[in-house]
């Protein structure tokens, strides 16, 4: 950029009169006009600076009397911050509307057979019996300390390290490497515990990106990311579209394209946010893909947040590879990789609110540790979990049983959908089917998709998540969580889908 | 000439409104001097030209930065090296490790990946004596038997005087509370997703506790409660909801050292300290509030509210009913919010009565929308490890936004179940509050006597866990430097961690916050001896 020297034409005689004088003078003139107009709308701003004074008194009084009128108007109701206003507004995303509807009128085979069946919340209720049994047997010992009921009150009631007790970090590291097949070991000192995976993601976003920066996110993605990332941190999400023809697999070319396009707009990209296993599709990133993503991140010098919260919920034959494992083999450049984990899915304990940030970046860890002051796990819960996660026999049995039950439910659910002529994307992990209902929607558009969703919710009384809430660019896909119901509910679900679909076809035929 | 005339005509104007009127500004027409021949050449041409010239300089300089960062990772921008110079003694070991590791990966072409600038401030900003002291105790805590030479903790707001009561209750009821009274275990009530802003049963129990604690028939409505994982996130959420980035809150000082973190770190909100003085017993003074408010406005800062602590931390005085009324008047006049932090509401140990802000506002009053109360179980029930905070507000918009934000900071379900039983056990709660008050008072009286023997006076405290001790006669120089020197000697020679007044933003040097609720009576002689040891060389 070349500096334009004011009045340089006068000195150098090179026709710079316009550049040197007229432009700045005009700009200054408009700046004043702008300030003047801006101020009269905003009577709370600072008083005028005396250097801009004028001898004309008449003008002065006139303008100030106008501001009097404005300032009187502003009193009365106290205002809240504009960022809070946008959060306080009721959610209009079908994801949240559906969740609300289902929680107001939940289906119960005996108590409320006409209620809404919840297939939109990712919760695994298949193994509650195991957890219940464990808690009944071990709760007292786990909280009180096993030596004859002598409760160590200092470990519960008093202040604990906000980023989690070392005991729980140790237990968590063991659990994570266990659930990922023992291929990786996790270092407890690189771990920060938070009150759920949601704050873990928010904390990372806050640490890695400044306001107005962006993350690349392959679509379809978890509808909650919009809240986790954008609400308070002011970070943007740039969708990287994946398509059904590739079974929604990420491609580096698409990443690269999105990166370049965003840069052209002047937005700075600070990282990639991945979920592996993917939510909602349920496919896994291969080892080669992980290497390629790492190379891409290195080339662009950006971070990777790998959300591996479904790492233990694998029902297919594919092998899950953690980003941590790939890093182990590469052995350098770990600073840019951050893994998010939690106990809400793999241990079915969303009510316990336990999330994990696992990072190799000392600065990020230091900052995240301090930020856990705002989101720490309560001590009694930590105590219970230390015992539970250290109980190897229980954990082994639990992992085996969930895998079997999830797989069984998946097979039944997919078979049921197939009978209705609804196909699902190939998947091998998670708690969802990613179902293709594009043949059932009245128009091949987001509108058609939402119409079907509405019918499913209000006529069929089942709550599923439409693809548009996951930012999928192809209309007609739906996320159905199959672990919130029991086997006997599956025929009911299929029947209800049929009923809803019928009502849409009748509607579209008659119109 | 024109300027003086301007001043003369303006200053006598009585109403503030007129002086505030930003529109009084006159537009300067470029080159008007040339046209009108009234000496406007300077104002009309040279000023804009100069401004434009500097604007270009500014733009040029600002533009270079991101490029450097992207391509070469130039040294001043490099986060690792930056933090190395700024992170001081406390985190040195961690630091060298991270540095060497970053250097070991030279194959990386673009240098270490940058973290966000807002967080690099947080990483390095921990060298205030408050945090240094807390960390020292963590490393080497005093224990009468195991570690008699350790550091005595008087810097953390924790009440250990009545932990035995909590312990007894938990030992007897804990498993029953969580498993549901010996009946069928409701696993769905613990393991599954719960409302993020707290279970309704728990809100009812908390509302009951608050009504009980604040006495005198203030009824707290459970539907106006939002529960968070501690009072810290409650304050952060309120600060996020009430103010935008760059707005400010007025905070009377001396104040809680953690506000800096709770209010500013992630929300980008500013704090304007309103100094209170020892001459007034550090009582809040509306005139001082007004001065600070006007000064802030002159600086172009928009003030969105006041944050008060009642009973105050660190001083421990209670706000009188009259003060609360005039505070509300002030807030109404300026059209701003009041955040009243009442986490010590039932830890009063004097004869003065505590008046909650909730008592002052009337339910139908339009002003109810500007008052927000923060409460928690960490102090009054001695349960900081449970992480339970409360936002009580009558402003529907704030409640709606806060409810959504609790997604980031909710209390785990087993803890909620446990506390529902505990708080519903009215007999336990009553005994606890009464016993705890008694014990607080006894410790307070004993320590006051012990310190007064050494010539250390304190402001009479009516609530909370602190002495606010005046050691200004004992510091080597009457300045912040002298104060921090004494603090250092107390920590390193006396092995006692107190909080210096400068951390609480007290403007008078030589005051120290001493938390007495972490001690037992047996520790008092040890403490007195240690302080004496430090003071001797000065006397």
């Amino acid at each position: 950029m070349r500096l334009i020297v004011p009045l340089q034409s006068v000195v150098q005689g090179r026709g710079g009169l316009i550049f040197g004088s007229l432009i700045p003078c005009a700009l200054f003139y408009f700046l004043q006009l702008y300030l003047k107009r801006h101020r009269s709308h905003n009577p709370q701003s600072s008083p005028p600076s005396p250097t801009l004074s004028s001898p004309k008194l008449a003008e002065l009084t006139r303008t100030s009397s106008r501001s009097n009128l404005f300032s009187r108007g502003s009193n009365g109701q106290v205002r809240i911050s504009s960022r809070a206003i946008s959060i306080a507004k009721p959610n209009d995303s079908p994801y949240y509307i559906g969740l609300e509807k289902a929680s107001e009128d939940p289906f119960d085979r005996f108590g409320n057979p006409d209620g809404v069946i919840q297939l939109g919340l990712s919760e695994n209720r298949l193994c509650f019996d195991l957890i219940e049994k464990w808690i009944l047997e071990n709760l007292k010992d786990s909280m009180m300390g096993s030596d004859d009921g002598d409760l160590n009150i200092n470990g519960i009631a008093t202040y604990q390290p906000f980023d989690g007790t070392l005991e729980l970090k140790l237990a968590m590291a063991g659990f994570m490497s266990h659930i990922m097949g023992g291929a990786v070991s996790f270092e407890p000192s690189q771990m920060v515990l938070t009150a759920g995976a949601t704050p873990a993601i928010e904390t990372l976003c806050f640490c890695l990106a400044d306001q107005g920066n962006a993350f690349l996110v392959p679509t379809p993605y978890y509808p909650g990311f919009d809240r986790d990332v954008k609400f308070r941190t002011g970070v943007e999400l740039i969708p990287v579209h994946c398509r059904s023809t590739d079974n929604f697999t990420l491609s580096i070319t698409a990443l690269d394209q999105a990166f370049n396009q965003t840069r052209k707009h002047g937005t700075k990209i600070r990282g990639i946010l991945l979920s592996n296993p993917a939510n909602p599709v349920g496919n896994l990133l291969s080892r080669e893909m992980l290497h390629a993503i790492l190379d891409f991140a290195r080339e662009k010098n950006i971070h990777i947040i790998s959300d591996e919260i479904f790492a233990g919920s694998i029902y297919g034959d594919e092998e899950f590879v953690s980003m941590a494992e790939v890093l182990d083999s590469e052995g350098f450049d770990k600073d840019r990789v951050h893994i998010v984990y939690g106990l809400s899915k793999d241990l079915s304990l969303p009510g316990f609110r336990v999330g994990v940030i696992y990072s190799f970046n000392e600065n990020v860890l230091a900052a995240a540790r301090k930020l856990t002051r705002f989101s720490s796990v309560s001590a009694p819960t930590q105590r219970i979990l230390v015992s539970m996660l250290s109980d190897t026999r229980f954990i082994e049995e639990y992992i085996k049983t969930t895998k079997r039950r999830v797989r069984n439910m998946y097979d039944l659910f997919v078979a049921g959908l197939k009978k209705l002529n609804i196909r699902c994307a190939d998947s091998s992990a998670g708690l969802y089917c990613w179902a293709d209902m594009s043949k059932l929607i009245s128009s091949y558009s987001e509108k058609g998709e939402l119409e079907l969703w509405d019918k499913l919710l209000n006529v069929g009384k089942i709550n599923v998540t439409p693809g548009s809430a996951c930012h999928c660019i192809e209309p007609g896909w739906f996320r159905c969580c199959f672990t919130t119901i029991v086997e006997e509910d599956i025929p009911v679900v299929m029947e209800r889908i049929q009923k809803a679909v019928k009502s849409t076809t009748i509607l579209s035929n008659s119109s | 000439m024109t300027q003086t005339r301007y001043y003369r005509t303006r200053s006598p104007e009585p109403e503030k409104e007129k002086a505030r009127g930003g529109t009084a500004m006159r537009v300067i027409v470029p080159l008007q001097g040339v046209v009108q021949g009234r000496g406007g050449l300077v104002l009309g041409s040279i000023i804009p030209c100069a401004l434009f010239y500097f604007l270009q300089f500014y733009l040029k300089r600002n533009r270079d930065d991101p490029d450097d960062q992207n391509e070469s990772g130039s040294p001043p921008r490099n986060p690792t090296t930056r933090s190395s110079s700024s992170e001081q003694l406390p985190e040195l070991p961690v630091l060298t490790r991270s540095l060497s590791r970053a250097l070991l990966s030279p194959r990386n072409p673009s240098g270490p990946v940058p973290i966000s600038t807002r967080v690099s401030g947080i990483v390095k900003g921990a060298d205030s004596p408050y945090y240094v002291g807390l960390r020292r105790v963590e490393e080497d805590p005093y224990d009468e038997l195991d570690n008699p030479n350790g550091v005595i903790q008087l810097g953390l707001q924790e009440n250990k005087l009545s932990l035995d009561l909590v312990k007894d209750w938990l030992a007897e009821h804990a498993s029953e509370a969580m498993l549901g009274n010996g009946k069928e275990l409701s696993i769905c009530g613990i393991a599954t997703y719960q409302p993020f802003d707290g279970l309704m049963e728990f809100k009812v129990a908390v509302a009951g506790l608050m009504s009980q604690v604040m006495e005198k028939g203030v009824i707290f409505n459970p539907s106006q409660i939002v529960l968070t994982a501690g009072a810290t996130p409650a304050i952060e959420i309120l600060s996020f909801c009430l103010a935008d980035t760059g707005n400010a809150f007025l905070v009377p000082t001396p104040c809680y050292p953690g506000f800096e973190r709770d209010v500013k770190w992630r929300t980008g909100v500013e704090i304007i300290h309103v100094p209170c003085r020892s001459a007034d017993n550090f009582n809040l003074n509306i005139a001082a509030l007004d001065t600070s408010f006007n000064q802030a406005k002159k600086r172009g800062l928009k003030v969105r509210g006041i944050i008060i602590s009642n009973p105050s931390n660190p001083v421990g005085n209670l706000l009188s009913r009259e003060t609360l009324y005039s505070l509300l008047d002030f807030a109404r006049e300026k059209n701003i919010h009041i955040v009243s932090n009442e986490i010590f509401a039932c830890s009063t140990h004097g004869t003065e009565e505590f008046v909650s802000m909730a008592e002052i506002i009337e339910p139908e009053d339009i002003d109810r929308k500007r008052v927000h109360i923060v409460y928690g179980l960490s102090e009054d029930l001695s349960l900081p490890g449970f992480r339970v905070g409360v936002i009580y507000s009558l402003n529907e918009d704030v409640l709606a936004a806060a409810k959504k934000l609790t997604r980031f900071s909710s209390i785990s379900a087993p803890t909620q179940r446990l506390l529902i039983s505990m708080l519903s056990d009215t007999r336990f709660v009553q005994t606890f509050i009464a016993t705890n008050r008694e014990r607080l008072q006894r410790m307070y009286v004993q320590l006051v006597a012990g310190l007064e023997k050494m010539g250390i006076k304190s402001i009479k405290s009516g609530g909370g866990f602190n002495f606010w001790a005046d050691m200004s006669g004992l510091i080597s120089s009457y300045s912040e430097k002298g104060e921090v020197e004494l603090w250092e000697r107390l920590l390193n020679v006396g092995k006692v961690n107190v909080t210096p007044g400068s951390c609480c933003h007290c403007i008078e040097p030589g005051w120290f916050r001493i938390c007495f609720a972490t001690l037992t009576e047996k520790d008092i002689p040890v403490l007195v001896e240690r302080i004496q040891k430090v003071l001797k060389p000065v006397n």
Side-chain angles (χ1 to χ4, degrees):
Chain A
M1 178 180 172
R2 202 171 63 92
L3 277 192
I4 298 171
V5 182
L7 298 173
Q8 83 169 2
S9 67
V10 180
V11 186
Q12 302 182 352
R14 284 221 315 171
L17 181 68
I18 293 171
F19 289 122
S21 316
L22 281 188
I23 291 181
C25 290
L27 279 177
F28 190 60
Y29 187 63
F30 287 123
L31 175 74
Q32 290 175 72
L33 280 182
Y34 171 74
L35 283 180
K36 187 175 171 177
R37 185 191 267 180
H38 204 69
R39 280 195 188 188
S40 59
H41 283 293
N42 186 358
Q44 303 261 335
S45 62
S46 60
S49 85
T51 45
L52 302 179
S53 65
S54 87
K56 287 190 180 171
L57 255 170
E59 200 175 314
L60 187 96
T61 38
R62 183 153 45 87
T63 44
S64 65
S65 73
R66 197 187 302 161
S67 92
N68 267 345
L69 278 175
F70 277 109
S71 72
R72 211 169 302 152
S74 79
N75 259 337
Q77 284 261 341
V78 64
R79 283 180 41 212
I80 68 170
S81 68
S82 44
R83 54 188 176 190
I85 291 172
S86 64
I87 291 176
K89 267 188 266 171
N91 280 315
D92 47 4
S93 148
Y95 174 61
Y96 295 103
I97 294 173
L99 287 181
E100 218 163 280
K101 188 109 196 237
S103 72
E104 276 163 16
D105 177 25
F107 171 78
D108 187 302
R109 231 170 321 142
F110 308 108
N112 187 15
D114 292 328
V116 179
I117 298 182
Q118 177 66 286
L119 304 175
L121 189 68
S122 61
E123 207 166 52
N124 180 357
R125 297 183 173 223
L126 301 178
C127 284
F128 275 175
D129 53 328
L130 298 182
I131 292 172
E132 185 168 350
K133 189 168 148 243
W134 188 91
I135 289 184
L136 275 175
E137 280 168 10
N138 300 290
L139 180 72
K140 197 154 187 180
D141 288 348
S142 65
M143 259 191 41
M144 308 296 170
S146 48
D147 30 308
D148 43 62
D150 186 25
L151 172 66
N152 178 8
I153 188 72
N154 273 322
I156 295 190
T158 57
Y159 276 110
Q160 306 296 323
F162 293 106
D163 58 325
T165 58
L166 190 60
E167 291 97 315
L168 183 54
K169 287 186 187 174
L170 273 167
M172 185 67 84
F175 177 72
M176 281 170 73
S177 82
H178 193 151
I179 212 149
M180 298 188 188
V184 238
S185 62
F186 292 89
E187 180 62 45
S189 64
Q190 280 163 230
M191 205 174 258
V192 171
L193 302 180
T194 55
T198 301
I201 291 171
E202 190 195 40
T203 304
L204 277 177
C205 284
F206 189 85
C207 292
L208 304 180
D210 283 302
Q211 202 151 17
N213 293 164
F215 280 99
L216 297 175
V217 193
T219 66
Y221 63 77
Y222 164 54
F225 278 160
D226 288 315
R227 168 199 60 208
D228 303 353
V229 175
K230 293 177 184 171
F231 254 24
R232 290 203 290 194
T233 65
V235 173
E236 300 293 317
L237 287 178
I238 308 290
V240 180
H241 294 298
C242 305
R243 292 171 188 276
S244 57
T245 45
D246 312 329
N247 197 38
F248 297 102
T249 313
L250 180 63
S251 83
I252 298 291
T253 342
L255 270 181
D256 200 49
Q257 238 167 32
F259 184 89
N260 291 331
Q261 247 166 33
T262 317
R263 236 204 357 209
K264 254 183 225 153
H265 290 298
T267 307
K268 196 172 203 168
I269 289 177
R270 302 302 290 262
I272 313 171
L273 175 56
L274 299 168
S275 27
N276 179 32
N279 172 1
V281 181
N283 50 12
L284 302 173
L285 292 174
S286 67
R287 196 180 292 271
E288 295 70 44
M289 188 42 115
L290 290 175
H291 279 289
I293 292 170
L294 206 58
D295 286 340
F296 176 79
R298 187 176 307 137
E299 189 197 316
K300 308 292 186 195
N301 198 23
I302 56 179
H303 292 270
I304 298 172
I305 299 177
S306 176
D307 175 4
E308 303 185 354
I309 194 157
F310 289 104
S313 308
I314 314 277
Y315 49 76
D317 305 317
E318 253 183 294
E319 173 209 25
F320 168 76
V321 184
S322 165
M323 199 49 124
E325 198 183 326
V326 173
L327 277 186
D328 267 356
S329 65
E330 295 231 342
F332 66 94
D333 195 28
K334 295 179 169 184
D335 268 8
R336 65 180 82 251
V337 175
H338 319 276
I339 294 169
V340 171
Y341 190 64
L343 298 182
S344 302
K345 314 295 172 194
D346 285 351
L347 206 52
S348 328
L349 292 176
F352 278 46
R353 310 268 78 226
V354 180
V356 182
I357 296 174
Y358 188 78
S359 170
F360 298 89
N361 189 318
E362 293 296 339
N363 282 320
V364 170
L365 285 173
R369 265 183 214 126
K370 289 188 187 159
L371 293 177
T372 51
R373 188 71 167 86
F374 300 110
S375 181
S376 42
V377 188
S378 86
T381 305
Q382 295 201 41
R383 273 284 185 86
I384 298 173
L385 286 172
V386 169
S387 313
M388 189 187 271
L389 297 180
S390 320
D391 186 345
T392 342
R393 214 164 44 97
F394 164 74
I395 292 294
E396 245 158 54
E397 191 201 336
Y398 179 86
I399 293 176
K400 230 187 283 165
T401 321
T402 348
K403 230 169 226 181
R404 207 183 53 233
R405 291 187 186 167
V406 171
R407 166 146 215 170
N408 180 40
M409 275 303 279
Y410 172 77
D411 289 343
L412 290 172
F413 201 89
V414 170
L417 287 176
K418 210 170 185 182
K419 267 190 215 151
L420 300 180
N421 240 337
I422 298 169
R423 291 176 46 96
C424 296
D426 294 335
S427 67
S428 40
L431 313 172
Y432 315 102
C433 293
W434 183 238
D436 179 9
M437 306 196 192
S438 54
K439 287 181 205 130
L440 306 174
I441 57 180
S442 54
S443 70
Y444 189 71
S445 66
E446 193 181 318
K447 193 167 151 268
E449 180 183 291
L450 288 179
E451 255 172 44
L452 179 57
W453 167 78
D454 195 66
K455 281 280 166 313
L456 285 167
L457 183 63
N458 294 314
V459 179
K461 297 232 165 184
I462 54 175
N463 174 41
V464 295
T465 312
S468 55
C470 304
H471 299 262
C472 183
I473 52 163
E474 299 177 19
W477 291 84
F478 288 84
R479 185 184 87 162
C480 313
C481 175
F482 53 78
T483 50
T484 47
I485 52 174
V486 292
E487 253 183 75
E488 292 89 89
D489 295 337
I490 293 183
V492 185
V493 171
M494 298 309 151
E495 208 175 281
R496 290 186 174 195
I497 293 179
Q498 218 160 13
K499 192 171 134 199
V501 168
K502 253 183 209 156
S503 75
T504 45
T505 41
I506 291 165
L507 242 170
S508 58
N509 285 348
S510 63
S511 61
Chain B
M1 180 59 205
T2 52
Q3 294 217 350
T4 45
R5 202 185 331 156
Y6 172 79
Y7 272 128
R8 231 182 290 140
T9 44
R10 284 200 49 120
S11 48
E13 279 175 10
E15 292 116 328
K16 272 184 196 155
E17 303 298 292
K18 272 187 189 165
R20 196 209 287 166
T23 46
M25 153 184 180
R26 216 192 113 231
V27 174
I28 298 168
V29 182
L31 297 174
Q32 81 169 8
V34 180
V35 184
Q36 301 182 353
R38 284 223 316 163
L41 182 67
V42 174
L43 294 181
S45 318
I46 293 187
I47 291 180
C49 290
L51 282 178
F52 188 61
Y53 190 60
F54 288 122
L55 176 75
Q56 289 177 71
F57 260 123
Y58 173 73
L59 285 181
K60 189 175 179 183
R61 186 193 267 179
N62 263 30
R63 228 190 244 187
D64 287 348
D65 267 354
D67 292 345
D68 283 351
Q69 206 176 1
N70 261 359
E71 284 147 30
S72 57
S74 71
R77 267 286 176 170
N78 180 326
T80 325
T81 35
R82 175 143 40 110
S83 64
S84 76
S85 58
S86 51
E87 263 183 41
Q88 295 188 348
L89 38 147
E91 291 192 355
L92 207 60
V94 178
L95 177 95
T96 35
R97 195 151 29 99
S98 78
L99 236 178
S100 63
R101 198 183 297 170
L103 288 176
L104 275 177
S105 50
R107 253 168 294 178
N108 176 357
S110 33
V113 58
I115 61 171
S116 71
T117 42
R118 53 186 172 190
V119 101
S120 35
I122 292 176
V123 173
K124 65 190 172 187
D127 34 19
S128 110
Y130 175 60
Y131 294 106
V132 173
L134 289 182
R135 233 182 342 249
R136 270 294 293 281
V137 184
E138 223 168 83
E139 285 158 13
D140 179 23
Y142 171 79
D143 188 290
E144 201 190 338
L145 303 172
D146 296 342
N147 190 13
N149 289 321
V151 183
I152 297 184
Q153 176 65 290
L154 304 170
L156 193 65
Q157 296 294 295
E158 199 166 41
N159 180 0
K160 296 192 172 182
L161 299 177
S162 308
L163 276 183
D164 56 324
L165 300 181
V166 178
K167 178 180 168 175
D168 290 346
W169 190 92
L170 283 177
E172 208 173 310
H173 302 281
S175 45
E176 199 181 288
M178 258 191 253
L179 303 178
N181 285 331
K183 281 177 266 163
E184 197 185 331
L185 168 71
S186 147
I187 188 72
C188 286
I190 296 186
T192 59
Y193 277 107
Q194 307 296 328
F196 294 107
D197 57 326
L199 295 166
M200 197 56 197
E201 294 105 296
F202 190 29
K203 286 186 186 177
V204 171
V206 168
L209 174 76
M210 287 171 75
S211 307
Q212 201 175 328
V213 163
M214 320 240 176
E215 294 171 28
K216 288 175 300 286
V218 188
I219 302 294
F220 288 87
N221 183 349
S223 65
Q224 267 146 356
I225 284 181
V226 171
L227 298 170
T228 57
T232 302
I235 293 173
E236 189 194 40
I237 287 175
L238 278 179
S239 133
F240 183 90
C241 290
L242 304 181
D244 281 303
T245 312
N247 294 163
F249 280 104
L250 299 176
V251 178
T253 64
C255 66
Y256 166 55
F259 276 154
E260 209 76 2
R261 170 198 61 208
D262 304 352
V263 176
K264 288 162 77 175
W265 268 14
R266 290 204 291 192
T267 62
V269 173
E270 299 291 319
I271 288 181
I272 296 165
H273 293 117
V274 182
C276 303
R277 295 176 183 275
S278 57
D280 308 331
N281 257 354
F282 294 104
N283 275 321
L284 182 62
N285 174 332
I286 301 290
L289 276 180
D290 199 53
T291 318
S292 300
F293 183 89
N294 291 332
Q295 265 168 9
K297 222 166 61 174
K298 258 184 215 147
R299 273 164 49 205
L301 271 179
K302 195 170 212 166
V303 175
R304 300 302 290 264
I306 314 169
I307 302 177
I308 52 163
S309 301
N310 180 28
S312 87
N313 172 4
V315 181
N317 44 18
L318 308 179
L319 294 180
S320 67
R321 201 175 289 269
E322 292 72 44
T323 315
L324 292 177
Y325 273 119
S326 43
L327 199 64
L328 195 61
D329 286 340
F330 176 77
R332 184 183 308 131
E333 186 197 321
K334 308 293 185 195
N335 197 22
I336 57 179
H337 293 272
I338 298 177
V339 176
S340 176
N341 178 11
E342 304 184 353
I343 55 170
F344 290 105
C346 86
S347 302
T348 49
H349 48 73
T351 46
E352 253 180 295
E353 65 154 7
F354 166 76
V355 185
S356 165
M357 201 73 210
E359 248 179 89
I360 300 298
I361 43 164
E362 275 142 41
E364 296 311 316
D365 192 352
I366 188 162
D367 279 330
R368 71 187 194 279
K369 293 208 167 173
R370 65 177 85 248
V371 173
H372 317 278
I373 293 170
V374 172
Y375 189 63
L377 302 184
S378 304
E379 273 71 23
D380 278 355
L381 275 188
S382 314
L383 294 174
F386 279 48
R387 311 268 76 229
V388 178
V390 180
I391 295 173
Y392 185 79
S393 170
L394 295 163
N395 189 318
E396 296 305 325
D397 294 332
V398 170
L399 285 175
K403 268 179 198 160
K404 286 191 190 158
L405 292 176
T406 50
R407 187 70 169 88
F408 300 109
S409 184
S410 44
I411 311 165
S412 83
T415 304
Q416 297 196 49
R417 295 274 166 215
L418 194 61
L419 286 169
I420 290 170
S421 300
M422 188 187 269
L423 298 183
S424 314
D425 186 345
T426 336
R427 213 164 47 94
F428 165 75
V429 172
Q430 271 165 2
T431 336
F432 180 88
I433 293 176
T435 319
N436 187 41
R437 270 191 187 144
E438 203 178 287
R439 291 183 185 175
L440 279 173
Q441 185 164 19
R442 215 168 55 216
M443 275 303 281
Y444 176 71
V445 170
Q446 285 189 27
L447 245 183
V448 168
L451 289 179
E452 251 166 25
K453 256 186 228 156
M454 287 185 280
I456 299 173
K457 290 214 175 90
S458 64
I459 296 284
K460 189 169 176 296
S461 150
F465 306 154
N466 301 312
F467 287 111
W468 183 237
D470 178 8
M471 304 200 194
S472 55
L474 306 169
I475 55 180
S476 53
S477 68
Y478 190 71
S479 66
E480 192 182 319
K481 196 169 149 262
E483 180 183 291
V484 172
E485 256 172 43
L486 179 58
W487 167 78
E488 245 168 8
R489 275 195 299 130
L490 282 167
L491 184 63
N492 296 320
V493 181
K495 298 230 166 182
V496 172
N497 176 40
V498 296
T499 312
S502 52
C503 291
C504 305
H505 301 275
C506 183
I507 52 162
E508 297 177 22
W511 291 84
F512 287 85
R513 184 181 84 164
I514 300 177
C515 173
F516 59 84
T518 46
L519 298 171
T520 60
E521 280 178 39
K522 277 183 289 180
D523 299 333
I524 293 183
V526 184
L527 176 66
V528 169
E529 193 187 304
R530 287 186 177 194
I531 295 182
Q532 224 150 18
K533 195 166 104 193
V534 176
L535 300 186
K536 248 176 207 154
V538 178
N539 289 348

